Each structure stands twice: as C-alpha cells, then as structure tokens.
Amino acid sequence: MRLNTPESLLYPITVTKLLHQPGDDIEQNAPLFTYEYKSTVTEWDPDSREDVERIKSFYADFESELEGNITSYNVRKGQVLQGRTNVAEIEEACKHEIQFGGICANCGKDMTTVQYNSTAKNTDRATVNTVHGHTQLLVSQAEASRADEEAKRRLLDTKKLSLVVDLDQTIIHATVEPTVGEWQNDPSNPNYDAVKDVRKFQLIDEGPVAKGCWYYIKLRPGLQRFLELVSECYELHIYTMGTRAYAENIVKIIDPDRKFFGQRILSRDESGSMTAKNLKRLFPVDTKMVVIIDDRGDVWQWSPNLIKVSPYDFFVGIGDINSSFLPKRPELEAKPSKPANTDHAATADSPDTSSQDASPKVAATAPAATTTNGDVSAVDRLVSMAGNQDEGSMKEKIDEQDEQITEQLENRPLLQKQKFLDAAEEEARASPAVEAAAELLANNGSETEQEVLPHPKYRQNLLQDDDTELGYLGQNLSNIHQVYFDEYQKAKAGAKGGRVAELRPGHGKKRSVDEFEHIPDAAVLMASMKARVLQGVNLVFSGVVPLGVDIHSHDIAIWAKSFGATVSENISKRTSHVIASPERRTAKVRQAAKRGGRISIVTQGWLFACFTQWRKLPEGPYRIHSDAPINGSARLPDSFEGKDEGQLSSSDEEAALTEDETDPGTKTPNGLSIATDVEDLEKLMPSMDRADSSPTEQEEPDYWADINDELDAFMGSDADDDSDAESVKSDSTAGLKTPPSARKRKRDAESEQGEEVNEEASDSQLQKRKKEALSRASSLTQMVVPSSNGSTPAAAPTDPGGGGGEEDEGDDDLEAMLAAEMERESDDEAGTAA
Amino acid sequence: MFFVKTLEHRIDLHPSFFSASAPDFIREKLYQDVEGTNTGTFMIIAVLQIDDISEPKIAPGTGFAQYNVGYRAMVWRPFRGEVVDGKVTNVVNNGFFADVGGLAVFVSKTMLPPTMKHNAEGSTPSWSEADGMIIEKDSQVRLRIKGIRGELGQMYAIGSIREDYLGYLNL
C-alpha cells in the first residue's frame, strides 16, 4: 500500500536521512526517514532586549502509519518535498479485507482503534456488506468482486440467474386479524373455503403490543408450483421488509426443507434501510444476472431489474402489514379490486345506509395507513422518506406498526366487512327489488362466490381465492432465463474469434475477466422484452389517477412506460387507448368515443392483464363506454360479458355502483375532494391551464360543450337534489372567494361529479330499475339532454365566483351556441355511424 | 473462562414498592437486570449470592430509592488464544459464524484449513474436506479465539480452526 506524507506537515521539507532499506520490515509508528523543516519562532533577543521573529530549522522523524515490508522508497536523501508525496510502498501482512464487528477476520486486530498518526480509519477498508443474515461482516471492494466472480461462475455453470423475491403481497399475504382463525374453525362460514388453507404462526418476541399474536399467512395460489418451476432456472433470495423472525417463519411455511431459499434470506433487520430496498446490499458489484419480483416499484426506485407484480390482496383491505416503514403506497390500487365488494355492499343497501355508515368507516381506518390509495400527498411522502433517519421517527414508525397491528386485532376489519356484506344480503332478501341487484352481483362474482351461493344460508363471501398472477409470472421468468442464456451463448460464440489473441501466453489470467464482460445484462434484456409488449400504444388516463397527481410520476404510468407504452395527458391523433374507470364517463372518454373505433376505451384491467401476461391482449372484453357518446342509450357495458376474467369481475361489480355515487357529497371517488382549499386549487392551476389550452382548435368547442353540458346537468340535478350534504357543500363553495382562474378549475371538478350523476342515472337500465325499485325520487333521468337556457338560472345561484355576472351572460350565449353546434355534430355522427 | 466475580449494581426502586418486602423486590430486580447481560468484556451467567443491600438513598427530585447491591456472580470471559466449543449458525462464502454461548464468533476462510472447500449448491451451504469433515449450519466446532472486541452489551470475536484438533466435533 502506498504511504503518503500527510497534508499537515510544514512544507517544504527536506529529507535528511533514510532509516531503512527496501525489503526491510517496519512496525507501525516506527520512523521511516528523518527530515528538516523551517519555521518562524519568536525568541528573546538579549541584545535588543525584545522579542524577535526568526526562521529556524528543525529536525523530525517521519513515522510510518502502516506496518509491513517496505517494497520501495520513493524519496532519496536531500529531496525537498513541496506537498503531499508518496514516499514508500509498504506491503502489508494483512490488508484487513474482511472485518467482523470491528475486528479483522484474518489477523484478529481491532480495527476501530485509531493511532495518533493514522490518516485513514481501518474500518474504511471494508465497507461492503455481502452476507444475507449479518450486518457485522464487512468486506472490501476487492474481496466483494472476487466473491461476485465466484458466484457468477457458479451461476453460469449451473445455468441459473439470481431472483430476489419479496414476501408480503408478492408471494403471500399476511394478516394478524383474529377473525381469520375463527372462520377457519367454522365450516359454515361463507369464507371457509377460501381461508381453510391459510397457515398461521405465532411470533413471541415481536414488539410490546404484538407480543405472541398469531400471523395468518395466505399463500398466493400456485406458489408451490411457481417455486419449483422457478428454482430450476434461478437461485432464489428473499428480501423482505419484515423482521428476521417473521421471514424465518414464512420460509418455514413456504419452503420447509429450505431447498429453494437455503439461507439466502434478507430481512429488514439486516437491510440497512427501513424505507428502501437496495440491490447493492445483496449484489454489491454487479447486478447483471439479477431479476427482482416485488409488488412495489417505489422501494426499489424502479430498478431496471425489477418485475413489478400486481399486489396480492387476499385479506381485503389489510394491505401489507410490514409496510408502515415504507413510504405510503402512492398508486391507485391495481385491480379496481376486491374492496369493491364492500362498496357494492353499500350499493345494495337501502336508504338507511347512513345509519350504518359509521361501521365501515371504523373498519377503514385500520388499514388506512397501508392501503390508502392515490391521495397521499407529495409532502407526506417526503416526510416519510426523509424522516426515517433519526431515532425518534424510527421509534414512531415502530409504534405506528404496533398501533396498526393492535387496530387490526381490535377492530377486525375483515369481520366488519363480512358483517356489512351480510347486512346487504339481509337487505336484499327483505326487498325483492334489490334482489335483482344482488342477483346481478352474484352473477358477476367469481367462481367461488357462485359455489357458495347455493348454500342454504345464502351468504356472500368476502374473501376470494382467484389470483392467477404466479402462473404468468413463472412463465415470464422462464422466458427471461431462456432469452438470457441464448444471448449468453451468442456472446460467447462471438467472443471466441477474439480469443486467439487471448490464448497467447501471458493472457491466461485475463481471459476469465473477459468472460464476464461478455455476459448479457438481465436488466437490459428484460427492458427490451417488456418494451415490445405495448409498443406503439399511446395511453391517456381518465378518471383513474387522482386529480392533482402528475401522471408521469404516477406508478401506473411508470409501469406502463416500462412496457413500451407512451403516456400523454390529452387525447391526440396518436392516442390509441384511453384507460378509464367504468363508472365515470369523463370528458376525455367522450372525446375519445367521438373519434370512433380508432381509440379503444378500456378499463385498467386490460392494462394490468397486459402487465401480468407480458403481451398485448385483445381489448374486447375490457372495452367500456363503447356506445355512441351523446345519446346515452342505456345498455350493459360490453365488459359484463367478459366476467370470466378474474381481474375483470370486480371492476364490473364496481360498475354497478349507483346510490353512493349519485350523492357526490358523501362519496368522492378516488379521494377527490370537492371542497378543496383555494390554495390547493391555485397550486393545481398551471398544469390545468396547459391541459385546457393544448387541444387542437377543432377540439376546443367540443371540449367546452362537454363541460357546459356536464355543468348544466350537474346544476340541474343539484337543484333537484336536496340532500343535506349537497346543500352544505354548495354553501361552502359559495362562501369561497375563488380567484377567476381557480373557479374554472373548480367548476370542472364539479361538473365531472355532475356528469357522473348524469351518467349513472342514464347509463344502465339496470341501475335505473334498481333505483326505481328503491322508489327513490330522482329526476336525474330527465336531464339527459340538457337545455342550456333552462338550466342556467339554476346554475347561477351556485356559481362559486359570485362576481362574474357579465362574464356569465356572455358565457350563456356562447354556451347556447356551442350546445346547438354540438347537438348538430352528434346528430351528424350518429348519421354517419348508422 | 469462568470466574466468580464480586460486582455491584445500583437499583432504583419506585416508591410504590416501599414496604417490608422491598428487599425481595430488590433481589428479584437484580436477577432480572443483570443475569445474561454482557458488559463488553464478560458475560454474567448467574448471580451466586447477594452480599449486601445498602441503605437506600432517596434520589433528589424523583422519589426513587437507590440501593447499591453487592453480589457475587458467575461470569464468563473469553480470552484471546482460548479454545472454546461452539455451534455453527450460518455458513457464508467467506467463512462461517458460530455461537459460543452468547459470543458471536466469525471464522474466516483464511482461518480454515486450506484444504477445505466451500459448497454453495444444495439447500445448505457448507465447508467440507476430502476426509469427510463437513461444517454446515448446526455443526459443533472447536475453535481458537484469535481476537475479541467488546462494545457495551455486545462482544465480537474472530476464531480459527486452522490447527490440529480444532474444527468439527463429533459428539
């Protein structure tokens, strides 16, 4: 190792004598050479009887901070050193490349001690953590590369890749909800079939609250086959945010013989970070042969090696019990999924919902910390990301997790939900009209649900065991493996030409290094495989991502982009697909529908199915809103026929939402809040401005017509609807002094709501029937074709600005014109379509 | 190596325990507090005898009573060069970990006999030698301690089996 003079010497210094010969051994802190330096000193001059400054020469020893054999001196006698200089090479007996708990594992010396003249800490020599189960064992970069090379050679010999597997919500779903245990012991329970193979274990020394509580583990369907298949071509590692004990217990369940995972388990105890997962922790040198599967992309910073799988959400609404340390999940929950069950429980409920409303709210609070979708603000995320360093917030997080577990134990969200479902069932039996709705729900439900239906108790089950992700995932992983090793063979064959030179004497050692340079990068291969999936697809999201969230930084968009799709904010000539929610027909959906069949309007289900299967699926069963845009003739969306698709069933069920949705005051889809602060709206303004201005000239009138349309409809319905929530809302909005720019935005948001009302009322005959059955007086259905003149007076009182009278009059005229034009246009279109 | 050592421990007693049975609480608390702890140089295995419990002093401002308890305890202190028996907890590519009582020992591959080979295949990674000596998880090993470092509550050690009569124990 090179020995340098430190910066702190008083340069220039002159070497006066070398005290050793090259080849000598030298001890730590022994002098290597002597030198002379000059310095000014203040001396008492007896002649002038005062202090004088003089420059004097001093002599000193230069001591070696290293111990070992001197291989060469790089200075000679009489040389003047002007600054930091390399003075000698010293070959150390031990380079302290492997350290355990601050001791060198090779020589047993304490690495934490610092000598008076040492310039670098010995502990800095080994900083890389390579071992799964320990944080105390550190190795140097060189040692890590050696180990890596060894591992790579082993993998190439056995034709395997490394696969990093996440536990929670990827291959299993865990909960501490005691209700699961009760259901397991009760064969008459509608959920018995689903939970009978749920495994459980008890953790004794977990936190103060969770002490000794039972964990219920549901394995993702097909897990055993998946592991067997995948372990043939991958070396499996576990990387989980759960504790060590938790991970060990899970492995006991999924891999009792340890034939898949062995000792390769990394838990949060050893991860080094509570909020992020880092591939460098396991593969510090090279990640070319690594593939990750995880249900969360953000914790991996969307690493290119990652295959994001859809989260496995078996215990409805529980989420990931180990994620309280992670930044809150920012995504919109994948499949417009099983929580939908509770929603239509609410749907099928009769008007006294309000009295029962309290209970689901309580139930919802428990998993809120983990499963809140979309509406996590950027600030929240920042705080939770930044706050993880200091002890206090660490403890807070642990407390939070405890709290969450306690809440799950006490509130039993699953039980509440099932109760709620049962209550809905009661309701359905009580009123024959609602039975029709229940029947429909049952038809839409999954296989299991249908099986349960004939049960004398006629109860719906909350939990559904219908996940197919792992089958496709296994397929994809073996495809990647195949492509990888094909590529490897090709690269190796290609490299052979160049090997003539390498085989010349003297190149023997280098060859092995080159061998690794030719291995393909799994991340690159995956990226190119994925990019082919949705190539040429141009996506626009509508009613899927919460307002105010930048679509390009949203999980679903990042995910879609990784599959080669392009994501834009507005409908344009290039747009090929609009991803919309089935129960809301937004302006964009109408706009897209007007373009005829060129743009497919599909549910998120299509996108997720493509992500899962890694191929572009036919849109057919996922199509929604495929009727003519304006005439609003009621019929069932096509997607009802495609209910055999697992992902789809629940989204269809969501389409059946009615009652709740018609009252925008109480339910706000996607967490969109109507009475938003003015500041918030202002903040949002710039982007919305851009969104407004970007459509082409031709589109603009349509756009405004749509908005006015919706606004009219909304205002009309508003006037008719005299529910409490509604009036409160309009009061509050009228009180707001909204700046003109913000007002437009607000109206947009409201009109979307209104449109939804309109939508719901007119869209499906079934819903109408249901509504009629409930004899809920609503005149919404009459508002399908709004007349601009009739509705403006109704609109005026709720005009949130309150100050733009003249402007409004101008608007009226414009509105009338536009509405007329639009009607003409739609007629034209209908004519051409016919 | 095991020693009997005289030690002292201070116990703060909450006022709600002030009663005739206070000494019992003190004893109970002493066992709870010290047994099984690691001071960084030695480990307290068991309290053998409580020599004396001092007169309590009321700590100003809190109301807690402070007792100084002198006791004799069996302690275990590992020394460099000592030969100990341990159980392998984890085998990795650059050595293996073993537990010697409460002491975590790492044996690096340079401290293994040069003939030993690492096998990563199969369910359990192991170090093995041609003559059939296999070191894997849960094997019993005899090793010599080469270095020790203590932090408060934690000790780390480096071990070696690169000597005669060290290594796998067939018990």
Side-chain angles (χ1 to χ4, degrees):
Chain A
M1 196 169 162
R2 287 160 155 239
L3 185 60
N4 294 314
T5 54
E7 298 282 4
S8 58
L9 296 184
L10 221 52
Y11 294 107
I13 61 174
T14 313
V15 178
T16 53
K17 189 182 181 191
L18 301 183
L19 300 171
H20 289 278
Q21 298 291 320
D24 285 359
D25 285 336
I26 187 167
E27 304 210 333
Q28 194 171 23
N29 300 332
L32 190 67
F33 59 85
T34 55
Y35 62 91
E36 180 194 358
Y37 67 98
K38 290 189 162 56
S39 178
T40 52
V41 283
T42 316
E43 258 183 1
W44 174 256
D45 185 356
D47 297 339
S48 56
R49 301 188 64 78
E50 61 181 3
D51 283 339
V52 254
E53 293 207 335
R54 285 211 187 96
I55 295 175
K56 287 188 81 175
S57 286
F58 296 92
Y59 295 89
D61 291 338
F62 176 79
E63 292 169 351
S64 163
E65 59 169 311
L66 301 172
E67 181 178 6
N69 189 282
I70 304 169
T71 46
S72 69
Y73 261 113
N74 296 337
V75 287
R76 59 203 147 61
K77 194 178 167 186
Q79 188 177 347
V80 180
L81 309 181
Q82 297 293 344
R84 186 179 155 85
T85 318
N86 171 22
V87 290
E89 294 280 343
I90 292 180
E91 172 99 34
E92 290 170 288
C94 178
K95 285 183 181 155
H96 313 310
E97 285 196 304
I98 305 174
Q99 300 181 2
F100 171 64
I103 336 171
C104 172
N106 295 334
C107 64
K109 277 197 184 127
D110 190 342
M111 294 289 105
T112 54
T113 51
V114 179
Q115 296 283 339
Y116 63 92
N117 71 341
S118 47
T119 51
K121 275 190 279 184
N122 272 331
T123 45
D124 291 342
R125 294 175 181 225
T127 51
V128 185
N129 211 332
T130 52
V131 182
H132 285 82
H134 284 264
T135 45
Q136 291 296 340
L137 187 71
L138 300 166
V139 301
S140 69
Q141 200 67 42
E143 181 66 30
S145 329
R146 270 199 294 276
D148 181 70
E149 209 167 283
E150 215 170 86
K152 256 192 237 160
R153 191 166 292 130
R154 197 184 67 235
L155 286 177
L156 288 175
D157 285 350
T158 53
K159 274 209 160 194
K160 281 186 177 181
L161 295 173
S162 297
L163 181 69
V164 177
V165 181
D166 172 55
L167 290 181
D168 287 301
Q169 292 207 273
T170 302
I171 59 170
I172 57 150
H173 195 202
T175 182
V176 294
E177 238 272 37
T179 314
V180 177
E182 285 160 25
W183 287 350
Q184 264 183 315
N185 297 328
D186 174 17
S188 68
N189 191 287
N191 295 304
Y192 176 74
D193 276 335
V195 298
K196 65 171 187 263
D197 55 346
V198 166
R199 312 285 294 268
K200 58 181 180 176
F201 62 83
Q202 198 174 17
L203 281 188
I204 303 299
D205 45 358
E206 277 285 279
V209 186
K211 206 166 198 138
C213 80
W214 284 93
Y215 285 71
Y216 296 93
I217 308 300
K218 170 70 184 165
L219 310 186
R220 202 163 193 165
L223 178 64
Q224 208 57 33
R225 260 200 58 227
F226 171 78
L227 289 179
E228 267 159 32
L229 181 78
V230 164
S231 62
E232 280 167 21
C233 38
Y234 289 88
E235 191 178 81
L236 304 182
H237 301 252
I238 286 179
Y239 195 149
T240 176
M241 280 302 182
T243 58
R244 182 92 204 157
Y246 174 80
E248 294 279 355
N249 273 295
I250 301 278
V251 170
K252 244 181 238 165
I253 289 172
I254 60 175
D255 181 19
D257 306 330
R258 296 267 186 154
K259 58 181 177 188
F260 303 130
F261 296 105
Q263 304 293 318
R264 299 179 294 272
I265 303 165
L266 185 71
S267 67
R268 77 158 178 245
D269 297 345
E270 302 102 26
S271 162
S273 164
M274 288 288 201
T275 51
K277 293 182 179 176
N278 194 346
L279 213 45
K280 288 269 178 260
R281 170 65 182 78
L282 281 181
F283 304 93
V285 182
D286 187 12
T287 56
K288 273 184 180 167
M289 296 182 74
V290 186
V291 180
I292 310 165
I293 53 172
D294 202 321
D295 64 309
R296 294 196 47 161
D298 53 342
V299 295
W300 286 103
Q301 293 92 43
W302 292 101
S303 153
N305 301 67
L306 171 74
I307 300 177
K308 186 183 177 313
V309 301
S310 351
Y312 182 41
D313 203 8
F314 176 75
F315 301 114
V316 178
I318 298 294
D320 182 350
I321 59 166
N322 285 312
S323 69
S324 56
F325 297 96
L326 303 177
K328 284 172 186 153
R329 187 188 281 268
E331 59 202 283
L332 199 65
E333 208 32 72
K335 308 156 181 181
S337 61
K338 288 144 198 170
N341 273 330
T342 32
D343 284 355
H344 59 65
T347 314
D349 232 351
S350 64
D352 65 351
T353 320
S354 46
S355 62
Q356 297 190 352
D357 245 359
S359 60
K361 288 272 159 56
V362 174
T365 47
T370 39
T371 53
T372 35
N373 307 332
D375 55 352
V376 180
S377 74
V379 179
D380 254 8
R381 286 192 70 197
L382 274 181
V383 167
S384 56
M385 308 255 297
N388 68 66
Q389 297 306 343
D390 61 298
E391 290 277 310
S393 81
M394 196 64 247
K395 197 175 168 328
E396 226 166 75
K397 289 260 170 72
I398 291 175
D399 287 350
E400 194 181 305
Q401 196 187 18
D402 274 341
E403 224 166 81
Q404 207 180 304
I405 286 176
T406 334
E407 253 183 91
Q408 249 185 49
L409 287 172
E410 282 170 5
N411 291 337
R412 303 194 162 199
L414 284 178
L415 190 63
Q416 303 285 1
K417 279 184 180 156
Q418 181 65 45
K419 271 187 189 156
F420 206 61
L421 213 57
D422 290 348
E425 199 79 28
E426 289 294 309
E427 220 51 75
R429 264 186 294 168
S431 109
V434 183
E435 197 156 9
E439 227 165 88
L440 177 90
L441 295 178
N443 287 338
N444 278 335
S446 71
E447 300 285 320
T448 20
E449 208 164 340
Q450 276 172 340
E451 274 168 32
V452 174
L453 268 180
H455 199 277
K457 284 183 98 179
Y458 192 61
R459 281 166 74 185
Q460 289 187 44
N461 59 336
L462 176 69
L463 304 179
Q464 297 174 12
D465 196 5
D466 59 353
D467 189 270
T468 52
E469 180 89 14
L470 284 183
Y472 295 116
L473 188 60
Q475 199 92 51
N476 291 333
L477 287 172
S478 40
N479 286 347
I480 292 171
H481 176 260
Q482 177 127 26
V483 169
Y484 187 91
F485 279 96
D486 285 353
E487 197 75 15
Y488 172 64
Q489 291 302 342
K490 243 189 273 168
K492 222 166 101 178
K496 263 196 182 129
R499 268 179 69 181
V500 182
E502 287 167 17
L503 287 171
R504 264 186 245 150
H507 276 85
K509 185 114 201 225
K510 208 156 177 242
R511 213 176 64 213
S512 69
V513 179
D514 279 353
E515 190 187 331
F516 293 121
E517 267 169 24
H518 287 302
I519 67 167
D521 189 340
V524 173
L525 288 179
M526 269 163 57
S528 70
M529 282 172 80
K530 277 161 84 178
R532 280 198 288 272
V533 174
L534 292 180
Q535 204 167 28
V537 171
N538 195 312
L539 295 173
V540 171
F541 291 93
S542 176
V544 175
V545 178
L547 288 169
V549 172
D550 178 19
I551 177 71
H552 292 288
S553 59
H554 196 274
D555 269 16
I556 193 171
I558 300 174
W559 202 3
K561 281 181 204 160
S562 75
F563 278 94
T566 4
V567 176
S568 23
E569 282 162 45
N570 289 297
I571 309 267
S572 70
K573 286 197 174 64
R574 284 192 306 276
T575 306
S576 61
H577 290 78
V578 172
I579 309 296
S581 65
E583 73 271 17
R584 295 171 58 206
R585 180 176 303 199
T586 56
K588 278 180 194 165
V589 170
R590 282 155 181 259
Q591 213 180 332
K594 260 179 219 160
R595 303 259 175 144
R598 202 173 56 73
I599 300 179
S600 315
I601 306 165
V602 290
T603 55
Q604 289 179 73
W606 177 74
L607 206 52
F608 288 116
C610 292
F611 291 164
T612 305
Q613 301 185 25
W614 284 38
R615 60 195 177 89
K616 192 173 161 190
L617 296 170
E619 294 87 350
Y622 301 94
R623 264 183 219 280
I624 45 171
H625 305 306
S626 51
D627 53 339
I630 306 292
N631 61 17
S633 66
R635 28 99 262 158
L636 292 174
D638 289 349
S639 47
F640 274 85
E641 268 88 69
K643 61 181 175 339
D644 48 329
E645 303 284 328
Q647 290 95 330
L648 204 59
S649 61
S650 40
S651 63
D652 289 343
E653 286 156 12
E654 220 169 60
L657 292 178
T658 45
E659 271 76 11
D660 247 20
E661 299 274 323
T662 47
D663 193 0
T666 51
K667 172 149 175 140
T668 53
N670 292 341
L672 167 74
S673 161
I674 308 267
T676 330
D677 280 349
V678 180
E679 288 95 325
D680 280 357
L681 289 167
E682 273 170 344
K683 250 184 270 166
L684 295 175
M685 257 327 281
S687 69
M688 291 319 291
D689 259 347
R690 203 178 56 219
D692 282 348
S693 59
S694 61
T696 57
E697 267 177 65
Q698 194 191 12
E699 284 163 351
E700 197 144 20
D702 293 356
Y703 183 63
W704 278 108
D706 278 344
I707 290 187
N708 286 329
D709 225 25
E710 290 155 10
L711 179 65
D712 290 347
F714 172 66
M715 292 314 183
S717 70
D718 204 358
D720 287 336
D721 194 345
D722 52 356
S723 79
D724 281 1
E726 203 56 40
S727 61
V728 165
K729 197 203 78 209
S730 50
D731 280 355
S732 65
T733 46
L736 282 174
K737 291 252 182 333
T738 325
S741 57
R743 177 157 41 100
K744 191 169 54 173
R745 174 70 196 90
K746 189 181 208 73
R747 200 197 280 168
D748 196 14
E750 280 179 11
S751 61
E752 236 168 272
Q753 292 294 326
E755 168 213 26
E756 202 176 290
V757 173
N758 195 0
E759 206 57 49
E760 292 307 330
S762 61
D763 198 42
S764 130
Q765 207 156 30
L766 171 96
Q767 289 160 7
K768 220 195 281 179
R769 206 178 88 203
K770 220 196 298 181
K771 216 175 294 176
E772 277 162 14
L774 289 168
S775 64
R776 208 182 176 194
S778 165
S779 55
L780 297 178
T781 44
Q782 294 151 19
M783 298 303 295
V784 175
V785 182
S787 96
S788 55
N789 283 339
S791 55
T792 15
T798 45
D799 181 22
E806 287 157 3
E807 205 182 274
D808 277 356
E809 269 175 33
D811 278 354
D812 285 352
D813 291 345
L814 191 66
E815 267 167 36
M817 270 168 58
L818 290 176
E821 192 185 314
M822 194 190 64
E823 264 170 287
R824 215 183 317 123
E825 240 182 54
S826 66
D827 284 345
D828 286 348
E829 264 187 25
T832 50
Chain B
M1 213 177 284
F2 293 94
F3 298 90
V4 173
K5 190 170 164 59
T6 306
L7 294 162
E8 204 164 83
H9 181 65
R10 198 185 82 189
I11 289 172
D12 291 342
L13 197 68
H14 191 269
S16 62
F17 293 101
F18 292 173
S19 70
S21 56
D24 294 335
F25 285 123
I26 299 288
R27 270 186 215 104
E28 198 52 44
K29 193 132 197 317
L30 178 76
Y31 292 133
Q32 272 177 22
D33 280 2
V34 301
E35 279 188 348
T37 57
N38 195 323
T39 62
T41 48
F42 57 83
M43 184 180 232
I44 300 173
I45 308 290
V47 174
L48 297 177
Q49 187 190 342
I50 294 174
D51 292 335
D52 75 314
I53 298 174
S54 73
E55 287 300 310
K57 253 188 282 179
I58 302 294
T62 63
F64 278 81
Q66 291 180 347
Y67 291 81
N68 282 317
V69 185
Y71 62 99
R72 283 195 294 156
M74 164 102 67
V75 301
W76 179 67
R77 179 175 177 179
F79 288 92
R80 185 158 8 129
E82 189 180 353
V83 174
V84 288
D85 289 356
K87 188 177 168 190
V88 176
T89 55
N90 198 0
V91 176
V92 294
N93 62 347
N94 33 24
F96 67 84
F97 295 90
D99 271 352
V100 179
L103 176 73
V105 183
F106 177 67
V107 180
S108 151
K109 65 180 169 207
T110 55
M111 300 284 198
L112 297 173
T115 49
M116 283 197 114
K117 289 278 171 295
H118 181 60
N119 314 305
E121 283 88 29
S123 55
T124 48
S126 63
W127 288 94
S128 61
E129 215 168 1
D131 65 4
M133 174 160 130
I134 293 178
I135 292 177
E136 55 188 6
K137 190 175 190 268
D138 295 335
S139 299
Q140 295 277 344
V141 288
R142 178 162 292 166
L143 49 90
R144 185 185 293 283
I145 294 175
K146 288 295 209 181
I148 297 177
R149 202 176 74 83
E151 287 168 4
L152 196 63
Q154 188 69 53
M155 279 194 289
Y156 303 103
I158 296 298
S160 165
I161 58 169
R162 201 171 190 164
E163 264 176 77
D164 288 347
Y165 308 112
L166 295 183
Y168 181 74
L169 278 187
N170 201 354
L171 296 177

